[in-house]
Amino acid sequence: MKLFIINGPNLNMLGIREPDIYGKLTLKDIESKIKLHCVENHIDVEFYQSNHEGDIVDIIQSAYQKADGIIINPAAYTHTSVAILDALKAVNIDTVEVHLSDVNSREDFRKISYVSSFAKKVISGKGAEGYIEAVDFFVK
Ligand code: DQA
């Protein structure tokens, strides 16, 4: 089992960025927690982060015939990107969408997610634990 964990724009600023909303953990802290959980469950994992929509499309395409699952927090692109949705549909790999904050209890524009129409599961508002729950979706 190999998982790609993909984080979108501004998530490299975790720890600094709006800690009251996103928490105090850095992306490195979160990736370390995920890695530990994956090792315990004999799962191979690769981490990616980009601030650029096209890069995220390239990362998703590179998962084709390589990854068994994708865990993605598309961040702001969640609410805008048909390109990311189309890339996920193109590679057709089981996908779990994760958001640190509860997007449904925030501004109206955050309630729209293009990726949700493809994702097998959406986890929102559980902070870093959301990524662990997403890994568990793939643990058989
Ligand atoms: C986010 C929620 C998005 O609305 C926002 O643009 C982000 C992070 C989250 O993890 O809560 O950058 O995806």
Side-chain angles (χ1 to χ4, degrees), residues 9-11 17 21-22 73-79 98-103 106 109-110 131:
N10 300 306
L11 294 171
R17 176 190 183 201
I21 296 176
Y22 298 113
N73 182 346
Y77 291 136
T78 306
H79 319 300
V98 173
H99 300 285
L100 293 154
S101 66
D102 179 6
V103 282
R106 298 180 63 195
F109 65 83
R110 293 188 205 274
Y131 291 91

Coordinates of all heavy atoms in Angstrom, one line a residue, residues 9-11 17 21-22 73-79 98-103 106 109-110 131, ligand 1:
P9 N -1.9 25.2 -1.2 CA -1.2 26.5 -0.9 C -1.4 26.9 0.5 O -2.4 26.7 1.1 CB -2.0 27.4 -1.9 CG -3.2 26.7 -2.3 CD -2.9 25.3 -2.3
N10 N -0.3 27.5 1.0 CA -0.3 28.2 2.3 C -0.2 27.2 3.5 O 0.0 27.6 4.6 CB -1.4 29.1 2.5 CG -1.4 30.3 1.5 OD1 -0.4 30.9 1.4 ND2 -2.5 30.4 0.8
L11 N -0.2 25.9 3.1 CA -0.1 24.9 4.2 C 1.3 24.7 4.7 O 1.6 24.2 5.7 CB -0.8 23.6 3.8 CG -2.3 23.7 3.7 CD1 -2.9 22.4 3.1 CD2 -3.0 24.0 5.0
R17 N 0.6 30.5 10.4 CA -0.6 31.0 9.8 C -1.8 30.8 10.7 O -2.2 29.6 11.0 CB -0.8 30.1 8.5 CG -2.0 30.4 7.7 CD -2.2 29.4 6.6 NE -3.4 29.7 5.9 CZ -4.1 28.9 5.1 NH1 -3.7 27.6 5.0 NH2 -5.2 29.3 4.5
I21 N -7.1 29.1 14.0 CA -7.9 28.3 13.1 C -7.3 27.0 12.7 O -7.9 25.9 12.7 CB -8.2 29.1 11.8 CG1 -9.0 30.4 12.1 CG2 -8.9 28.2 10.7 CD1 -9.3 31.2 10.9
Y22 N -5.9 27.1 12.4 CA -5.3 25.9 11.9 C -4.4 25.1 12.9 O -3.8 24.1 12.5 CB -4.4 26.3 10.6 CG -5.3 26.8 9.5 CD1 -5.2 28.2 9.2 CD2 -6.3 26.0 8.9 CE1 -6.1 28.7 8.2 CE2 -7.1 26.5 7.9 CZ -7.0 27.9 7.5 OH -7.8 28.3 6.6
N73 N -5.3 17.7 0.9 CA -5.9 18.9 1.4 C -5.6 20.0 0.4 O -4.5 20.6 0.4 CB -5.3 19.3 2.8 CG -5.9 20.6 3.4 OD1 -6.6 21.3 2.6 ND2 -5.7 20.9 4.6
P74 N -6.5 20.2 -0.5 CA -6.2 21.2 -1.6 C -6.2 22.6 -1.2 O -6.0 23.5 -2.0 CB -7.4 20.9 -2.6 CG -8.1 19.7 -2.1 CD -7.9 19.7 -0.6
A75 N -6.5 22.9 0.1 CA -6.5 24.2 0.7 C -7.4 25.1 -0.1 O -8.5 24.7 -0.4 CB -5.1 24.7 0.9
A76 N -7.0 26.3 -0.4 CA -7.9 27.2 -1.1 C -8.4 26.7 -2.5 O -9.5 27.0 -2.9 CB -7.2 28.6 -1.3
Y77 N -7.6 25.8 -3.1 CA -8.0 25.3 -4.4 C -9.2 24.3 -4.3 O -9.8 24.0 -5.3 CB -6.8 24.6 -5.1 CG -5.7 25.5 -5.6 CD1 -4.4 25.2 -5.4 CD2 -6.0 26.7 -6.2 CE1 -3.4 26.0 -5.8 CE2 -5.0 27.5 -6.7 CZ -3.7 27.2 -6.4 OH -2.7 28.0 -6.9
T78 N -9.5 23.9 -3.1 CA -10.7 23.1 -2.9 C -11.9 23.8 -3.5 O -12.7 23.1 -4.1 CB -10.9 23.0 -1.3 OG1 -9.8 22.6 -0.7 CG2 -12.1 22.1 -1.0
H79 N -11.9 25.1 -3.3 CA -13.1 25.8 -3.6 C -13.2 26.4 -5.0 O -14.1 27.1 -5.3 CB -13.3 27.0 -2.5 CG -12.9 26.6 -1.1 ND1 -13.6 25.6 -0.5 CD2 -11.9 27.0 -0.3 CE1 -13.0 25.4 0.8 NE2 -12.0 26.3 0.9
V98 N -9.1 16.1 3.1 CA -8.9 16.5 4.5 C -8.8 18.0 4.6 O -8.2 18.7 3.8 CB -7.6 15.9 5.1 CG1 -7.3 16.4 6.5 CG2 -7.7 14.4 5.1
H99 N -9.5 18.5 5.6 CA -9.3 20.0 6.0 C -9.1 20.0 7.5 O -9.8 19.4 8.3 CB -10.6 20.8 5.6 CG -10.9 20.7 4.2 ND1 -10.1 21.4 3.2 CD2 -11.7 20.0 3.4 CE1 -10.6 21.2 2.0 NE2 -11.5 20.3 2.1
L100 N -8.1 20.8 7.9 CA -7.8 21.0 9.3 C -9.0 21.7 10.0 O -9.4 21.3 11.1 CB -6.6 21.9 9.4 CG -5.3 21.2 9.0 CD1 -4.3 22.3 8.5 CD2 -4.7 20.3 10.0
S101 N -9.5 22.7 9.4 CA -10.6 23.5 10.0 C -12.0 22.9 9.5 O -12.0 22.1 8.5 CB -10.5 25.0 9.6 OG -10.7 25.1 8.2
D102 N -13.0 23.3 10.2 CA -14.4 22.9 9.8 C -14.9 23.8 8.7 O -15.5 24.8 9.0 CB -15.3 22.8 11.0 CG -16.7 22.4 10.6 OD1 -16.9 22.0 9.5 OD2 -17.6 22.5 11.5
V103 N -14.6 23.5 7.5 CA -14.9 24.4 6.4 C -16.4 24.7 6.3 O -16.8 25.8 5.8 CB -14.4 23.8 5.0 CG1 -12.9 24.0 4.8 CG2 -14.8 22.4 4.8
R106 N -17.5 27.9 8.4 CA -16.8 29.1 8.1 C -17.5 29.9 7.0 O -18.7 29.8 6.9 CB -15.3 28.8 7.8 CG -14.6 28.1 8.9 CD -13.2 27.8 8.6 NE -12.4 29.0 8.3 CZ -11.2 29.0 7.8 NH1 -10.6 27.8 7.4 NH2 -10.5 30.1 7.6
F109 N -18.1 30.7 1.0 CA -17.3 30.2 -0.1 C -16.5 29.0 0.2 O -16.1 28.2 -0.7 CB -16.4 31.3 -0.7 CG -15.3 31.8 0.2 CD1 -14.1 31.1 0.3 CD2 -15.5 33.0 1.0 CE1 -13.1 31.6 1.2 CE2 -14.5 33.4 1.8 CZ -13.3 32.7 2.0
R110 N -16.3 28.7 1.5 CA -15.5 27.5 1.9 C -16.4 26.2 1.9 O -16.0 25.1 2.1 CB -14.9 27.7 3.2 CG -13.8 28.7 3.2 CD -13.0 28.7 4.5 NE -12.4 30.0 4.7 CZ -11.2 30.4 4.2 NH1 -10.5 29.6 3.5 NH2 -10.7 31.6 4.4
Y131 N -5.8 13.8 9.3 CA -4.9 13.0 8.3 C -4.8 11.6 8.8 O -4.6 10.7 8.0 CB -3.6 13.7 8.2 CG -3.6 15.1 7.5 CD1 -3.7 16.2 8.3 CD2 -3.3 15.1 6.2 CE1 -3.7 17.5 7.6 CE2 -3.3 16.4 5.5 CZ -3.5 17.5 6.3 OH -3.5 18.8 5.6
Ligands
DQA1 C1 -8.2 24.4 4.6 C2 -9.5 25.2 4.5 C3 -9.5 26.1 3.2 O1 -10.7 26.8 3.1 C4 -8.4 27.1 3.3 O2 -8.3 27.8 2.1 C5 -7.1 26.4 3.6 C6 -7.0 25.3 4.5 C7 -8.2 23.6 5.9 O3 -7.3 22.7 6.0 O4 -8.9 23.9 6.8 O5 -6.0 26.9 3.1 O6 -8.2 23.5 3.5

